[in-house]
Amino acid sequence: MGRMTETVKVLLIINVIFFIGTLAIGDQAYQYFSLWFFKNENFGVWQIITHMFMHGGFMHILFNMYALWAFGSPIEQMLGKNKFIFFYFSAGIGAALIHSLVNYYHYQAGYSALIDAGMSSEGIQTFLKTGQYSTQILNSVSQDMLRELYISFNTPAVGASGAIYGILVAFGMLFPNVELFLIFVPVPIKAKFFIPALIGLDLFSGVTGYSIFGGGIAHFAHIGGALFGFIMMWYWKKNQFDKNRWDR
């Protein structure tokens, strides 16, 4: 966790530029660059990439950029610039894919339940746009399912966290015995224990809906980034990536 590497520096600068730009432009920037559900009228293919440079607030970007510097720099030193760039964006795209698939599951489950309950397609579209529904529908469809349907359709995802989780997994695989400190746990924890525990918390929160870190977190995007990061590192380690660097 020493000096900042070249690609990490560029990524950090781009993230900061996007963040300042969104503060200046406002909601229109979030509408255009955040990752929306693919059936939402605000969705654009470019958002699969651009959402990785959007952040919801100062603390959000601060934590992500700190992690990018602290964990991304040693990973770039190991992989080389070109391979690191491929890894970073692949983990971020993987995060978007898993997040979107989970949203699609919630969307389909809620949509089908409303159809079975007798609501018309037009009525469902009205609900998705306004959030309003007849309380009688609660006799057939749970309020939690309605909430999941509405949130999945209308809540965009932002942040570099998916790519960051891929980097965390890579760090844990390459430096398993490096000791890390949690802000709320004043004892060092080895990376090989800390990072799986962090991913486990995201999986628990994604499945149960309960999060010790608060609401508004795309837990399955984190898991997606971690999963794609693991697959890439497992493959590269198996094929001796350190003897086949792309930058040579």
Side-chain angles (χ1 to χ4, degrees):
M1 301 183 193
R3 70 176 184 85
M4 185 182 300
T5 51
E6 178 183 350
T7 304
V8 167
K9 183 186 297 184
V10 172
L11 289 171
L12 194 151
I13 291 171
I14 295 173
N15 273 279
V16 171
I17 290 173
F18 263 76
F19 184 68
I20 294 173
T22 55
L23 292 179
I25 298 172
D27 291 342
Q28 188 174 358
Y30 282 100
Q31 180 175 326
Y32 194 74
F33 293 118
S34 303
L35 178 63
W36 294 85
F37 184 59
F38 67 90
K39 287 181 176 287
N40 190 295
E41 61 183 10
N42 292 316
F43 173 75
V45 176
W46 59 87
Q47 295 167 2
I48 297 171
I49 299 294
T50 58
H51 84 280
M52 298 165 60
F53 298 100
M54 302 290 291
H55 289 86
F58 179 73
M59 295 306 294
H60 189 199
I61 190 172
L62 178 65
F63 278 111
N64 276 351
M65 293 304 98
Y66 171 78
L68 176 60
W69 161 70
F71 300 102
S73 292
I75 300 305
E76 183 179 358
Q77 289 173 351
M78 291 294 295
L79 299 182
K81 180 181 70 174
N82 292 338
K83 207 164 193 176
F84 177 78
I85 291 171
F86 176 84
F87 180 88
Y88 182 87
F89 282 99
S90 295
I93 292 170
L97 176 62
I98 299 300
H99 173 76
S100 298
L101 286 174
V102 172
N103 274 356
Y104 181 71
Y105 168 79
H106 289 306
Y107 173 86
Q108 282 295 107
Y111 196 99
S112 297
L114 289 176
I115 290 292
D116 291 342
M119 183 181 286
S120 66
S121 297
E122 292 77 13
I124 296 174
Q125 292 304 315
T126 298
F127 163 68
L128 291 174
K129 289 181 179 179
T130 66
Q132 298 178 353
Y133 58 88
S134 170
T135 55
Q136 293 181 346
I137 203 69
L138 295 177
N139 294 327
S140 304
V141 181
S142 71
Q143 197 165 27
D144 286 343
M145 180 170 283
L146 288 174
R147 186 182 70 253
E148 290 288 356
L149 171 59
Y150 185 82
I151 291 175
S152 297
F153 189 83
N154 288 292
T155 304
V158 297
S161 302
I164 297 298
Y165 266 69
I167 288 175
L168 286 174
V169 168
F171 187 90
M173 294 175 73
L174 292 174
F175 309 102
N177 293 314
V178 170
E179 294 184 333
L180 306 173
F181 282 88
L182 283 168
I183 294 175
F184 47 84
V185 180
V187 294
I189 303 174
K190 290 185 177 181
K192 62 184 178 182
F193 302 125
F194 168 73
I195 293 169
L198 187 64
I199 297 169
L201 283 175
D202 270 297
L203 181 59
F204 171 80
S205 297
V207 172
T208 65
Y210 175 78
S211 175
I212 63 173
F213 299 110
I217 299 175
H219 295 289
F220 282 105
H222 294 174
I223 294 168
L227 175 63
F228 274 69
F230 172 80
I231 291 171
M232 286 185 286
M233 289 305 300
W234 173 82
Y235 177 80
W236 287 339
K237 287 190 73 174
K238 184 179 179 181
N239 290 275
Q240 298 180 317
F241 72 89
D242 55 327
K243 296 181 180 179
N244 186 31
R245 287 180 55 171
W246 294 6
D247 295 310
R248 289 177 178 170

